[in-house]
Amino acid sequence: MPENVFIALQNTPEAQPIIEAIVADNDNAVVNESPGMVKIDCPKRLVLRRETVEEKLGQEFNLQDIHLTLISLSGNIDEDEDEFVLHWDF
Amino acid sequence: MAKNQRRLNLSQKYQLMTRGLDWETTYQPMDKVFPYDKYEGIKITDWDKWQDPFRLTMDAYWKYQAEKERKLYAILDSVVQNNSQQNISDARYLNAVKIWMQGVTPLEYAAFRGFNMLGRGFRGAGARVACQFQAIDEMRHYQTQVHAFAHYNKFFNGFNQHARIRDRAWYLSIPKSYFEDAMTAGPFEFITAISFSFEYVLTNLLFMPFVSGAAHNGDMATTTFGFSAQSDESRHMTLGLEIVKFMLEQHEDNVPIVQEWLDKWFWRGYRLLGLIGTMMDYMLPKKVMSWRQAWEIYWEENGVALFNDLARYGIRMPKHHETATREKYRITHEFWSTIYQFSHATALYTWLPDEEEMDWLCAEYGELFEKLYKPRYEYWRELDARGERFFQKRLPVVCNVCQIPIFHTYPDDPCKNICLVSEYKGTKHQMCSEGCKDIFDREPEKYCQAYIPPQQIYQGNCGGATLEDYRKWLHIRDEDAGEYYGSEDNQLWEKWQAEAARV
Ligand SMILES: [Fe+2]
Ligand SMILES: [Fe+2]
Ligand SMILES: [Zn+2]
C-alpha cells in the first residue's frame, strides 16, 4: 500500500544543508535527484529539525526559510519553531 | 528577560494575526454579508478550527515573496543578457512553452480572480487570509510568466497576442473551461477543484517533471519561474488539503458532498493533465520521465497515499481512477496524434517523433505503442515524404465537459473510438468518457450552456463560417502554425546552429 510522504526542494546551494539534515534525521529517506530538483521520499513520516540544519549550516536557521527552496510536498504538515513534520496517519 | 521570551512564537503570532480580525455584523445579518458560503450545503460549525499549518502571517509572507521575486528577476535579466534563447536543446521544445503561455498562464490569472472571490467570500478570517495570500501569488505567477515569455517573443512565433488567443482559440477552451467551471460553482467547490484536485493531487505532474524537463532542456527562464511559482504552490496545496479535511471534520453531512466534488474534479483534472503528459512525452527533446512513469509516481504512489489518509473520514478513491490508470499507456499518443492533425488551426507547430524518440517511446510504452501508434506515425511520415503532410480539413467534435477533441478509446479496447451521448432538453451532447458523462449528467443544466468553440465557429460566430475566416479572426498567420520542419522557428534555429558551428 502506497504510504510515502515526500518533500521536493530546488537543487541549489541553499537547499544542501536542508537535504543533509533530512537524510541525517530520517533513516528511511530516499533521495531522488532530477534536473534542477531533489525529491525525498519517506514512508509515513519525515521530519526536518532546525537544530540539525543549524549544525550542517554552521549558523542560525529559521525553519520558515524553507519556503524559499521548497518545490512541493505531500503529507499532513505540523510545523513549529523546532520541527517541520510531514506525516500520513493511516 | 531572555531574548526568546520577548519574541512571540509561531503559533502565538499566527493567532494574533489571523484571528479577531472581524466581528458579528449588526446592521446587516451575517448571511447577507457572506451570501455564498452556505448554499452548497457545506455545514461549518466553528471556523476558528481552521488553521494554516505553515502558520504564515502577513509580515513573513511579504518578506519571503520579496526574496523570491529578487532572485527570479535577477535570473530573468541574465537570461536576456546572455542570449539564453540559444542555449535550449532544440527549437521544437519551445512549442511546449507556447502551450504553457497560451494555456496555463491564463489559468494563473483565473486563479487570481477566483481566490480574490474566496478572500472575500469565506466567513472564517483565517481561511480568508490564506486565500488572499494565494490571490497575490497567482497574480505574481501570471506576471512573471508573461515577463519570461516576452523574451522568447522577440525571436519565435506563437508568443504574441497572448490575451486575444486566450479568449478566441478553440483549443484553449480545454484549460479555460476547467477554471470557468470551478468559478461558476460555489466557494467550497471552487477551492476543492483548484486547491485540492488541481494543485494538490495533480499539479505535481505539471510542475515537477515538466519544469525539471525545462531545466534539462536548457530553458532557464521557465525553470526559474516554474520553481518559483511552485514554491508558492506548496502553500496552495496545503490550503487545499486543509480545507478538505476541515469540511470533513466539521460535519458528517459534508462527506458525500465533498466525495462528489472529488470524483468530478479528479476526472476533470486528469483529462486536462493529458495535455501536460503529451508535452512531456513529445515536446521535450531531452526527456526526463514519461507520462506513464510520472503517473505511477505522482498518482499511483503519492496520490493514492493521500486518499488512503482520507479514508478515515469516509472518503473513497475518486470514481474512474482505474480508467485513468489504464489509459496511462495510450493517452499521450492519442493526444499527440490529434494535435499533429490540427496544428494548422493553432498557434503551435507539431512534428513526428524521430527515430531515437520512437525508440524511447517504444521502451517506455512497450507493445501497445509499437502495435498501434508507431505504424500510424510511419504512415504519416510517408505522406509527408510525398509532400502530403496530413492535416484535418475540419475542426473536431469536442467533449461537452472537458472540451478535448473526442479522440479517446474504450478503456478495454484502444482500437475502438468512444463517444457517449446524453440527451437533455431535446439536444444531444457528446462526451469523451464515462467520467465526463457522469459530470454532465449530474449537472446537465450547467453543461448544456457550455460554450463549445467548434460549434460557435461553424455557426459563423467567430469571424465567419470557414476555417480560413476563423484563422483570420484569431490573427494566426500561416507562419505561426502547422508543421515544425521548414517553419520560421526551425529556420532560425538552424541558422543559429550553423553560426555556432562556425566559431
Ligand atoms: Fe499559480
Ligand atoms: Fe497556485
Ligand atoms: Zn471529456
Side-chain angles (χ1 to χ4, degrees):
Chain A
M1 177 145 107
E3 56 171 19
N4 280 345
V5 296
F6 79 77
I7 188 165
L9 300 160
Q10 293 191 51
N11 202 349
T12 55
E14 273 182 307
Q16 288 316 309
I18 303 174
I19 295 165
E20 286 172 29
I22 293 172
V23 171
D25 286 334
N26 300 275
D27 290 341
N28 296 319
V30 177
V31 178
N32 299 291
E33 288 199 40
S34 40
M37 71 173 202
V38 176
K39 177 175 184 254
I40 306 170
D41 293 291
C42 202
K44 283 283 178 74
R45 188 173 189 277
L46 179 148
V47 59
L48 171 68
R49 286 200 188 83
R50 180 179 53 79
E51 276 188 0
T52 319
V53 182
E54 288 179 345
E55 259 168 46
K56 307 282 175 194
L57 189 64
Q59 64 182 56
E60 276 188 22
F61 181 75
N62 178 345
L63 270 187
Q64 280 196 317
D65 285 356
I66 57 165
H67 282 295
L68 295 171
T69 42
L70 193 58
I71 290 174
S72 185
L73 48 81
S74 186
N76 298 305
I77 299 172
D78 280 324
E79 184 180 1
D80 61 23
E81 289 76 20
D82 300 317
E83 278 189 353
F84 176 87
V85 183
L86 290 171
H87 58 95
W88 291 133
D89 302 323
F90 52 85
Chain B
M1 198 195 276
K3 178 176 150 230
N4 282 343
Q5 284 170 317
R6 263 189 293 124
R7 269 169 63 177
L8 294 170
N9 71 30
L10 206 54
S11 76
Q12 289 169 326
K13 197 168 88 170
Y14 179 73
Q15 285 300 324
L16 282 170
M17 294 182 76
T18 61
R19 295 297 188 270
L21 296 174
D22 44 15
W23 61 94
E24 284 283 323
T25 56
T26 50
Y27 291 177
Q28 293 287 337
M30 287 290 271
D31 283 348
K32 272 190 151 177
V33 178
F34 296 101
Y36 302 119
D37 71 350
K38 281 190 175 165
Y39 81 92
E40 296 169 283
I42 294 293
K43 295 176 181 156
I44 304 297
T45 52
D46 185 4
W47 269 107
D48 229 28
K49 290 252 161 56
W50 193 86
Q51 293 257 357
D52 167 14
F54 283 124
R55 309 234 156 62
L56 194 68
T57 51
M58 202 42 111
D59 55 327
Y61 175 76
W62 291 127
K63 185 180 94 182
Y64 289 119
Q65 296 310 97
E67 180 70 24
K68 288 180 192 176
E69 290 279 275
R70 267 195 297 275
K71 284 182 170 178
L72 173 63
Y73 279 98
I75 296 172
L76 289 187
D77 280 352
S78 96
V79 164
V80 174
Q81 284 171 338
N82 294 304
N83 282 317
S84 294
Q85 73 282 357
Q86 300 196 6
N87 298 338
I88 55 171
S89 56
D90 181 40
R92 285 181 303 162
Y93 161 76
L94 288 167
N95 291 284
V97 184
K98 292 174 201 177
I99 292 190
W100 191 301
M101 188 209 74
Q102 296 172 13
V104 180
T105 303
L107 300 185
E108 306 283 13
Y109 189 76
F112 158 74
R113 293 175 61 202
F115 280 94
N116 273 326
M117 282 156 63
L118 301 193
R120 169 64 181 84
F122 282 138
R123 218 164 283 225
R128 282 211 307 278
V129 168
C131 290
Q132 286 161 14
F133 290 151
Q134 179 158 352
I136 301 166
D137 292 338
E138 302 296 2
M139 179 50 107
R140 174 177 101 85
H141 301 170
Y142 174 74
Q143 288 176 331
T144 54
Q145 287 167 34
V146 171
H147 286 150
F149 300 138
H151 183 62
Y152 288 127
N153 185 42
K154 294 174 199 160
F155 307 97
F156 301 100
N157 293 333
F159 286 103
N160 57 341
Q161 57 145 351
H162 75 274
R164 187 193 288 123
I165 207 166
R166 178 253 174 221
D167 289 340
R168 295 189 175 183
W170 63 277
Y171 57 103
L172 299 181
S173 73
I174 300 169
K176 189 167 54 177
S177 74
Y178 185 102
F179 266 73
E180 291 184 346
D181 188 350
M183 272 209 280
T184 47
F188 285 105
E189 184 177 345
F190 177 86
I191 202 165
T192 306
I194 305 304
S195 303
F196 185 77
S197 294
F198 191 69
E199 301 192 291
Y200 203 108
V201 182
L202 299 163
T203 50
N204 280 327
L205 285 151
L206 172 63
F207 278 99
M208 296 172 61
F210 185 77
V211 176
S212 187
H216 202 39
N217 283 275
D219 178 4
M220 209 170 23
T222 299
T223 307
T224 307
F225 79 66
F227 283 149
S228 185
Q230 187 67 12
S231 71
D232 299 342
E233 217 56 41
S234 4
R235 196 157 20 78
H236 304 172
M237 294 159 62
T238 304
L239 173 61
L241 180 55
E242 289 305 314
I243 208 94
V244 163
K245 289 195 298 189
F246 178 65
M247 287 189 278
L248 297 171
E249 279 164 8
Q250 284 285 307
H251 205 288
E252 60 183 13
D253 289 355
N254 296 342
V255 177
I257 302 175
V258 172
Q259 180 72 57
E260 283 194 13
W261 289 339
L262 296 180
D263 290 343
K264 168 179 171 180
W265 290 100
F266 166 80
W267 187 258
R268 287 222 63 181
Y270 160 67
R271 269 295 185 247
L272 181 54
L273 281 187
L275 186 57
I276 309 301
T278 307
M279 287 154 75
M280 285 162 55
D281 279 350
Y282 284 91
M283 304 180 100
L284 300 183
K286 289 167 92 176
K287 316 287 184 197
V288 170
M289 75 172 53
S290 64
W291 166 257
R292 175 193 60 75
Q293 205 190 346
W295 183 256
E296 286 166 2
I297 295 174
Y298 292 106
W299 171 253
E300 292 175 42
E301 276 293 319
N302 300 139
V304 173
L306 164 67
F307 274 85
N308 286 339
D309 197 66
L310 293 175
R312 72 192 130 104
Y313 298 104
I315 290 295
R316 53 157 174 75
M317 290 280 281
K319 257 176 116 174
H320 304 297
H321 73 93
E322 305 92 338
T323 304
T325 292
R326 194 178 293 179
E327 285 182 352
K328 71 185 171 186
Y329 291 101
R330 71 174 92 151
I331 192 77
T332 61
H333 318 308
E334 293 180 339
F335 220 131
W336 181 250
S337 299
T338 306
I339 307 176
Y340 179 79
Q341 300 172 63
F342 287 103
S343 62
H344 60 315
T346 67
L348 300 164
Y349 303 122
T350 52
W351 56 88
L352 292 171
D354 63 25
E355 283 314 311
E356 213 177 297
E357 286 164 337
M358 212 83 104
D359 290 345
W360 180 81
L361 289 163
C362 286
E364 288 294 316
Y365 289 99
E367 205 190 335
L368 195 67
F369 181 83
E370 239 161 305
K371 250 176 54 190
L372 292 187
Y373 310 111
K374 193 178 173 195
R376 181 188 291 170
Y377 295 146
E378 284 167 344
Y379 171 67
W380 280 336
R381 181 170 297 149
E382 277 169 38
L383 289 184
D384 203 6
R386 294 209 299 265
E388 297 165 23
R389 164 61 157 98
F390 186 73
F391 290 116
Q392 288 285 352
K393 300 211 166 35
R394 290 199 175 77
L395 291 173
V397 172
V398 303
C399 173
N400 203 130
V401 172
C402 70
Q403 306 237 356
I404 294 173
I406 302 188
F407 58 69
H408 307 83
T409 46
Y410 276 89
D412 52 3
D413 187 356
C415 291
K416 200 170 149 209
N417 280 98
I418 187 169
C419 178
L420 304 175
V421 178
S422 286
E423 220 173 302
Y424 185 70
K425 289 187 176 168
T427 308
K428 285 182 174 151
H429 300 269
Q430 288 98 345
M431 263 73 65
C432 73
S433 55
E434 290 285 350
C436 282
K437 187 172 186 304
D438 279 357
I439 294 170
F440 184 95
D441 292 343
R442 185 175 158 263
E443 290 177 284
E445 190 56 36
K446 178 172 193 175
Y447 293 98
C448 79
Q449 300 175 63
Y451 184 97
I452 312 287
Q455 294 178 5
Q456 294 296 323
I457 291 165
Y458 287 126
Q459 283 172 32
N461 297 331
C462 307
T466 68
L467 200 51
E468 256 334 287
D469 293 337
Y470 167 66
R471 276 163 45 120
K472 259 189 220 126
W473 181 74
L474 190 56
H475 294 237
I476 290 186
R477 305 168 308 150
D478 285 347
E479 302 90 278
D480 297 328
E483 169 63 40
Y484 171 75
Y485 287 102
S487 68
E488 287 184 348
D489 279 14
N490 178 221
Q491 289 170 25
L492 177 66
W493 184 252
E494 296 292 318
K495 192 177 132 229
W496 286 350
Q497 295 308 99
E499 279 167 10
R502 247 186 291 125
V503 287

